[in-house]
């Protein structure tokens, strides 16, 4: 069924910037260097400057960025990385791919993100790192998290796949941890027309290792592998396109903030009456998703679709409940389970949602109201 209002439509965003994207593609096609050439270098420089961090290493995906970040840190095999289960399964996959073990802790009902008491309680002699996830674009309280990490000497890898431009006390997410990972998957706030990712860090040594891990393990001496690196290079074409989109990231985030504010106003009475739950309001968020809590999700999805409105679920299966991670299931995570059963992402991408908030809110109100 074609929906009148899709949950997301990256191609509509791309179409807005088509002239500069076409120029970027043309430039790359005519370029003398197709691999790790001027486009990747320029994008790395630009994105690092945008974030306010010294080093950016373009890689092939957000998942690879997380894995390479762990590898660059040289974390010991079997070491535990504490993270949340309320995230993309890629967060867990990257940890396992890097030879470590994810240790899932619950999220807080107030922030829907890592519960600091549970985090502190989970630290044990096998713990080597913490991987906070800025879910739906809401930044984790990084100063507080770094204080805990510092006390126990733990590495911190920020999963910034949903948090391009998010800030905590005026400082960008991705600049607090020892290293951070971004994804440029098409639906992300900074999304290309294919896969892409980046590792960012303020540590020159980590940057050097990350660069090696993305390309055969080579360092200064091309052709000599210092590390057992694979191939996870950001493509020139994708870097050129991302470079054309980067100048529009802040205005896109501002438009997302407007949609978020409109939803909150339009849905306030529904939330006050307890028929839906609104997402936590966090300063510095970049509104990657606008997910509400509904109790009868399957029926709500169906009836929203009947009204021509697309919705999505992020994420139906918390990571600790997925078959691949059964060995790491650990203890019960009641808040994560509660959210995973109820979260429903409404359209938030400005190009598809901005003009339709009243209509979307009205449809949701009708659908979740008694006697509907
Ligand atoms: C999208 C995403 C990833 C994975 O990024 P890819 O580019 O799709 O590999 C990892 N973590 C989170 C939280 C994400 O949203």
């Amino acid at each position: 069924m074609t929906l009148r209002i899709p949950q997301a439509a990256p191609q509509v965003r791309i179409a807005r910037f088509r002239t500069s994207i076409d120029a970027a593609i043309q430039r790359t096609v005519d370029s003398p260097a197709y691999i790790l050439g001027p486009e990747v270098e320029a994008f790395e420089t630009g994105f690092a400057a945008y974030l306010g961090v010294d080093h950016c290493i373009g890689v092939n995906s957000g998942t690879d960025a997380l894995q390479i970040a762990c590898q660059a840190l040289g974390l010991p095999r079997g070491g535990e990385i504490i993270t949340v289960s309320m995230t993309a399964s890629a967060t867990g996959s990257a940890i396992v791919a890097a030879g470590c073990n994810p240790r899932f802790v619950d999220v807080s009902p107030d922030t829907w993100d890592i519960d600091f008491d549970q985090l502190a309680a989970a630290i044990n002699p096998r713990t080597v790192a913490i991987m906070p996830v800025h879910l739906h674009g809401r930044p984790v309280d990084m100063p507080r998290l770094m204080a805990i990490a510092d006390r126990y000497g733990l590495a911190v890898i920020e999963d910034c796949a949903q948090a391009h431009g998010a800030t905590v006390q005026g400082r960008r997410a991705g600049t607090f941890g020892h290293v951070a990972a971004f994804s440029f998957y098409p639906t992300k706030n900074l999304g290309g027309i294919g896969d892409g990712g980046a590792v960012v860090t303020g540590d020159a040594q980590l940057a050097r290792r990350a660069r090696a891990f993305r390309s055969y393990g080579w360092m200064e001496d091309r052709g000599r592998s210092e590390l057992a690196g694979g191939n996870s290079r950001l493509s020139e074409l994708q870097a050129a396109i991302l470079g054309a989109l980067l100048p529009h990231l802040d205005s896109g985030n501002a438009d997302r903030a407007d949609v978020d504010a409109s939803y909150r106003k339009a849905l306030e009475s529904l939330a006050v009456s307890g028929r839906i739950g609104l997402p936590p309001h966090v300063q510095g968020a970049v509104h990657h998703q606008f997910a509400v809590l509904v109790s009868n999700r399957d029926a709500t999805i169906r009836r929203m679709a009947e009204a021509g409105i697309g919705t999505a679920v992020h994420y139906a299966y918390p990571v600790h409940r997925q078959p691949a991670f059964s060995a790491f299931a650990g203890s019960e995570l009641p808040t994560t389970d509660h959210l995973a059963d109820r979260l429903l992402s409404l359209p938030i991408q400005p190009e598809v949602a901005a003009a339709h908030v009243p209509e979307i809110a009205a449809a949701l109100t009708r659908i979740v109201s008694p006697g509907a």
Side-chain angles (χ1 to χ4, degrees):
M1 174 174 26
T2 326
L3 297 163
R4 226 161 10 84
I5 308 171
Q7 202 273 335
Q11 73 281 9
V12 183
R13 180 175 50 85
I14 293 298
R16 285 179 58 200
F17 307 112
R18 187 59 193 267
T19 309
S20 50
I21 288 173
D22 282 348
I25 292 171
Q26 202 53 58
R27 209 168 57 231
T28 311
V29 170
D30 294 333
S31 163
Y34 288 152
I35 301 289
L36 296 185
E39 299 296 337
V40 169
E41 203 176 308
F43 176 70
E44 289 177 342
T45 304
F47 195 51
Y50 172 82
L51 294 174
V53 70
D54 284 344
H55 310 280
C56 171
I57 299 98
V59 298
N60 186 59
S61 70
T63 311
D64 279 6
L66 286 168
Q67 179 185 338
I68 289 172
C70 294
Q71 290 175 313
L73 284 163
L75 301 176
R77 211 150 251 293
E80 276 185 12
I81 301 182
I82 299 175
T83 190
V84 287
S85 172
M86 189 69 246
T87 180
S89 63
T91 310
S93 294
I95 292 171
V96 174
C100 293
N101 295 338
R103 164 103 177 214
F104 298 111
V105 297
D106 211 352
V107 292
S108 150
D110 300 325
T111 62
W112 296 4
D113 223 313
I114 197 158
D115 181 310
F116 280 93
D117 293 331
Q118 304 247 354
L119 164 61
I123 295 171
N124 71 81
R126 290 181 306 281
T127 309
V128 293
I130 308 170
M131 190 180 284
V133 180
H134 306 294
L135 190 75
H136 299 167
R138 286 181 300 269
V140 169
D141 183 347
M142 288 308 296
R144 186 172 172 194
L145 190 134
M146 292 311 294
I148 296 172
D150 288 346
R151 192 175 324 139
Y152 294 95
L154 301 173
V156 173
I157 307 118
E158 292 180 67
D159 183 340
C160 294
Q162 305 186 3
H164 315 71
T167 54
V168 184
Q169 295 163 17
R171 186 170 152 192
R172 302 259 191 227
T175 65
F176 291 89
H178 301 94
V179 58
F182 286 85
S183 163
F184 306 120
Y185 185 90
T187 56
K188 309 287 172 156
N189 292 31
L190 179 59
I193 64 164
D195 280 310
V199 176
V200 306
T201 179
D203 180 321
Q205 193 52 29
L206 277 180
R208 188 164 173 266
R209 287 173 56 86
R211 273 182 206 288
F213 275 116
R214 84 163 161 192
S215 191
Y216 313 139
W218 294 356
M219 287 181 169
E220 287 73 25
D221 188 355
R222 281 175 60 87
R224 194 168 98 131
S225 295
E226 303 286 344
L227 298 163
N231 173 357
S232 179
R233 297 181 290 249
L234 180 64
S235 87
E236 278 287 285
L237 202 53
Q238 216 55 250
I241 292 163
L242 291 167
L245 294 169
L246 179 59
H248 307 288
L249 173 57
D250 279 342
S251 66
N253 284 345
D255 292 345
R256 284 173 182 266
D258 288 344
V259 177
D260 179 279
S262 303
Y263 270 135
R264 286 179 190 279
K265 216 147 125 210
L267 296 172
E268 190 185 358
S269 63
L270 209 55
V272 168
S273 68
R275 276 173 284 160
I276 64 162
L278 286 179
H281 185 67
V282 176
Q283 210 61 41
V286 289
H287 316 285
H288 174 63
Q289 295 294 351
F290 188 88
V292 296
L293 297 177
V294 296
S295 49
N296 199 351
R297 185 168 62 192
D298 288 346
T300 306
I301 292 171
R302 184 172 39 78
R303 299 201 46 207
M304 289 292 278
E306 284 164 8
I309 301 164
T311 55
V313 178
H314 306 98
Y315 297 93
Y317 305 99
V319 186
H320 76 292
R321 293 217 182 273
Q322 305 203 26
F325 299 95
S326 57
F328 310 107
S331 53
E332 291 291 310
L333 306 177
T335 304
T336 297
D337 287 336
H338 179 89
L339 295 178
D341 287 344
R342 292 168 180 77
L343 281 176
L344 184 66
S345 301
L346 304 180
I348 177 93
Q349 186 194 322
E351 290 83 7
V352 298
H356 301 290
V357 168
E359 180 189 347
I360 297 166
L364 185 64
T365 302
R366 185 162 38 76
I367 288 163
V368 303
S369 293

